[in-house]
């Protein structure tokens, strides 16, 4: 698991397609890797959980499956692309962001960004099938960054980056750019539980989370 608190930035040194997947080399600060990463460890790379298959002083290598290449922004990346990095949690990790799995749910598109004093507001369009997971003041991971949703309009949602976040992350949030989205895992499991409950009671499996369904199932 991860928390969405970016620990370091990296740069894609190379990315090579091999069959339906790909092999990637990520170059980063040696201090991020030294005495902290071993072969087989998980590293969130722009929000995608990758397994380190080879290590050197200033880089790690990883393999991407067909699904990872096609359902995340790695299908758009090229050498020189900057990425956000985070090591997997330990029992001593502070949960400064929110619980994340490194399993990207879809690719979003940055619609606009604009400055308000020292902060930057970002509008992102999510895929249609993710919109019901995104709630105002809820959490969402964007390129591996744990962020709070401040406004929602159908599939579009607004985030605010404080100055510290602007300095620490690699994502540029340029209009038109693509970003990896991971919705709150609690929302995903909650929907699944409600679907199972609805299916057992009236033989339907297409339920969605609504205020009425939450109240009916005793969540408030």
């Amino acid at each position: 698991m991860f928390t969405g608190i970016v620990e370091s930035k990296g740069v894609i040194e190379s990315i090579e397609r091999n069959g339906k997947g790909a092999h990637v080399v990520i170059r980063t600060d040696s201090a991020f890797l030294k005495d902290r990463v071993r072969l087989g460890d998980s590293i969130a790379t722009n929000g995608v959980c990758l397994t380190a298959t080879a290590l050197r002083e200033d880089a790690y290598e990883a393999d991407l499956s067909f699904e990872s290449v096609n359902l995340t922004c790695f299908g758009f990346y090229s050498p020189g692309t900057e990425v956000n990095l985070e090591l997997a949690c330990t029992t001593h990790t502070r949960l400064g962001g929110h619980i994340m799995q490194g399993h990207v749910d879809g690719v979003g598109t940055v619609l606009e960004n604009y400055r308000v004093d020292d902060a930057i507001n970002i509008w992102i369009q999510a895929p249609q099938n993710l919109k019901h997971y995104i709630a105002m003041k809820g959490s969402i991971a964007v390129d591996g960054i744990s962020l709070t949703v401040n406004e929602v309009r159908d599939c579009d949602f607004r985030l605010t980056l404080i100055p510290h976040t602007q300095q620490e992350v690699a994502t540029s949030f340029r209009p038109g750019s693509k970003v990896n989205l991971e919705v709150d895992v609690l929302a995903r499991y909650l929907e699944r539980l409600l679907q199972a409950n609805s299916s057992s009671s009236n033989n339907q499996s297409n339920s969605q989370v609504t205020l009425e369904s939450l109240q009916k199932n005793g969540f408030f």
Side-chain angles (χ1 to χ4, degrees):
M1 296 193 305
F2 306 92
T3 70
I5 303 302
V6 175
E7 295 183 72
S8 186
K9 301 175 188 178
V11 177
I12 294 179
E13 182 175 289
S14 66
I15 181 166
E16 299 177 358
R17 293 294 185 104
N18 49 19
K20 293 185 177 180
H23 183 79
V24 64
V25 179
I26 309 292
R27 190 175 67 254
T28 186
D29 188 345
S30 59
F32 173 74
L33 299 172
K34 186 177 181 181
D35 300 325
R36 303 182 70 209
V37 179
R38 296 176 299 178
L39 288 180
D41 281 357
S42 297
I43 304 175
T45 307
N46 258 18
V48 182
C49 180
L50 298 181
T51 299
T53 58
L55 295 170
R56 68 180 199 225
E57 184 177 347
D58 64 345
Y60 64 94
E61 300 180 25
D63 293 312
L64 291 94
S65 67
F66 172 80
E67 183 164 348
S68 295
V69 171
N70 287 274
L71 297 184
T72 75
C73 290
F74 270 96
F76 305 104
Y77 294 161
S78 59
T81 299
E82 286 193 311
V83 290
N84 299 307
L85 306 178
E86 181 190 357
L87 298 181
C89 296
T90 70
T91 55
H92 302 290
T93 302
R94 288 185 176 182
L95 190 59
H98 71 282
I99 296 172
M100 292 164 43
Q101 296 179 302
H103 302 162
V104 171
D105 294 297
V107 172
T109 302
V110 178
L111 299 175
E112 62 175 320
N113 66 54
Y114 54 92
R115 187 169 292 277
V116 179
D117 297 323
D118 290 336
I120 296 178
N121 279 344
I122 314 291
W123 276 96
I124 295 174
Q125 184 176 70
Q128 181 77 20
N129 66 319
L130 297 185
K131 72 175 185 178
H132 60 283
Y133 297 112
I134 302 171
M136 191 170 71
K137 299 307 176 184
S139 296
I140 191 167
V142 181
D143 278 354
I145 312 162
S146 175
L147 294 167
T148 300
V149 177
N150 289 324
E151 192 175 351
V152 180
R153 297 175 184 167
D154 193 38
C155 292
D156 305 343
F157 61 95
R158 178 174 62 84
L159 310 167
T160 300
L161 271 62
I162 62 174
H164 176 77
T165 305
Q166 297 170 35
Q167 296 172 3
E168 295 298 315
V169 303
T171 309
S172 65
F173 292 105
R174 292 188 304 273
S177 61
K178 303 295 184 180
V179 288
N180 292 316
L181 301 179
E182 180 184 339
V183 300
D184 193 335
V185 64
L186 298 179
R188 278 195 261 128
Y189 279 111
L190 177 58
E191 180 183 50
R192 182 59 177 159
L193 287 169
L194 291 176
Q195 286 177 344
N197 186 52
S198 175
S199 179
S200 62
S201 61
N202 55 30
N203 201 31
Q204 293 181 354
S205 60
N206 61 346
S207 68
Q208 292 189 356
V209 178
T210 65
L211 290 176
E212 290 77 15
S213 63
L214 289 173
Q215 187 173 31
K216 178 180 177 182
N217 287 276
F219 286 92
F220 65 88

